[in-house]
Amino acid sequence: TSTGTTSTGTTSTGTTSTGTTSTGTTSTGSTVAPDFALDFRGATGLFQTKTFTPTTRRTNVTVSAWVWLNAYKTSDQFIVFVGTVGANGFGMVVNASATLSTSFVSVVYKYEDVAVSSYQLPLREWVFLSIVSPALNAWNIYADGVLKASVTGNAASTVAPTGRSIFAGSGQANRNNLDGKLDSVQVWNCVRTGDQLRADSLPMYPFGLTGFEPELALFLPFMEGAGSSTVSVGWAGGRVYNLSGTVIWALHDYAHMTTSTGITSSTTSTGTTSTGTTSTGTTSTGTTSTGTSSTGTTRIGTTSTGTTSTGTTST
């Protein structure tokens, strides 16, 4: 009998490969404490100085400030003016509107001529407002570093500031009072770009300006929070600016600023978990082969019996 051998295949199991989970570090920017702003409320409040003019330029200049507008009015509302109102200089105002719906941010010359834009400040929210002059009589108006409008002034009214004065929140003799708040008044002897204006809008060092940036002629962060005067910071630092009329200090908490500014930025980066595929080999079992049982034929020989021969008895 011949019996075949049973052949069984080997089982091959693949190795399971699990990727490493990579979790990024959560980076949270520092949160600044609230600082202060001046609240004019359309009353007799006036920020004014007659001892210092930050610029004598007619062009290549930038004026910026954080502005909170409470309401549109039927009279102009002065934000910041550099120069002697009625004689020289320039500034930014919210122009008068009989219908109020057409009360736009404008550039004013000498207090007399106004170049009206098509941009209207939103009410009751902080906006970092800037006027930038890249060429004589030409002004660009920015809100939060975004260009909103361009205006052209009257060349005859363009007179360089020479009066050694600056006004904020009101025009000359406490007229055209601002119904709103101001913070971080800046005057630059250069043209600021949109990206630079966004950086200028950040709170003071370590986030924003220190006051010692090149071409920054005046920086008033209004950090006092009390009293009837404020002090400039930086290159023109230490100058005392008197506040007349009703002086109201308010908080500016910067909660309106987006997380992209880095003030309160927090982003978690998590890596992807990669898991390898488990590969299992196929079990191969050989076929059992059994030989055929072969039995030989039994051959039985024939019995041959001899014949008995009995002789005859002869007596």
Side-chain angles (χ1 to χ4, degrees):
T1 299
S2 173
T3 303
T5 305
T6 299
S7 173
T8 303
T10 304
T11 300
S12 173
T13 303
T15 305
T16 300
S17 173
T18 303
T20 305
T21 300
S22 173
T23 302
T25 304
T26 299
S27 174
T28 303
S30 301
T31 301
V32 298
D35 70 3
F36 297 98
L38 285 175
D39 190 347
F40 295 94
R41 301 188 185 181
T44 58
L46 171 66
F47 163 85
Q48 179 182 2
T49 176
K50 293 184 178 179
T51 61
F52 173 66
T53 297
T55 186
T56 57
R57 296 186 178 187
R58 293 189 298 166
T59 187
N60 196 32
V61 66
T62 299
V63 179
S64 298
W66 275 109
V67 183
W68 172 289
L69 188 65
N70 286 325
Y72 308 123
K73 297 168 63 175
T74 55
S75 59
D76 293 335
Q77 300 184 68
F78 269 61
I79 300 172
V80 177
F81 187 90
V82 180
T84 301
V85 179
N88 56 66
F90 53 84
M92 52 185 175
V93 303
V94 178
N95 75 299
S97 170
T99 62
L100 302 184
S101 61
T102 57
S103 188
F104 300 115
V105 174
S106 305
V107 177
V108 61
Y109 295 86
K110 297 195 313 182
Y111 187 80
E112 299 169 349
D113 296 313
V114 179
V116 181
S117 80
S118 58
Y119 172 64
Q120 188 172 47
L121 268 176
L123 295 180
R124 292 175 291 279
E125 65 180 73
W126 283 107
V127 175
F128 190 70
L129 188 66
S130 306
I131 58 172
V132 182
S133 177
L136 191 62
N137 303 326
W139 292 88
N140 294 325
I141 296 174
Y142 288 82
D144 299 326
V146 178
L147 180 63
K148 295 295 185 179
S150 297
V151 296
T152 301
N154 183 353
S157 299
T158 305
V159 180
T162 58
R164 300 183 64 78
S165 61
I166 181 171
F167 297 84
S170 178
Q172 191 177 34
N174 257 335
R175 293 183 295 169
N176 304 106
N177 304 90
L178 175 69
D179 187 1
K181 294 178 280 191
L182 290 180
D183 193 12
S184 190
V185 171
Q186 306 167 20
V187 179
W188 297 80
N189 281 319
C190 63
V191 172
R192 303 294 282 173
T193 66
D195 288 341
Q196 288 173 327
L197 292 173
R198 281 187 285 274
D200 297 345
S201 71
L202 295 176
M204 280 188 66
Y205 179 83
F207 302 102
L209 303 177
T210 64
F212 292 99
E213 287 73 13
E215 306 297 336
L216 179 57
L218 176 67
F219 180 37
L220 292 161
F222 301 142
M223 297 298 292
E224 291 78 11
S228 58
S229 64
T230 188
V231 179
S232 58
V233 173
W235 298 117
R239 297 181 183 274
V240 177
Y241 294 80
N242 295 321
L243 309 171
S244 64
T246 303
V247 179
I248 303 172
W249 291 91
L251 283 179
H252 185 182
D253 61 9
Y254 291 94
H256 54 88
M257 299 191 76
T258 64
T259 56
S260 62
T261 60
I263 297 177
T264 53
S265 176
S266 175
T267 305
T268 302
S269 174
T270 304
T272 304
T273 300
S274 173
T275 304
T277 304
T278 301
S279 173
T280 305
T282 303
T283 301
S284 173
T285 304
T287 303
T288 301
S289 173
T290 304
T292 303
S293 180
S294 175
T295 304
T297 303
T298 301
R299 292 193 64 188
I300 301 175
T302 302
T303 301
S304 176
T305 303
T307 301
T308 303
S309 175
T310 303
T312 303
T313 302
S314 177
T315 305

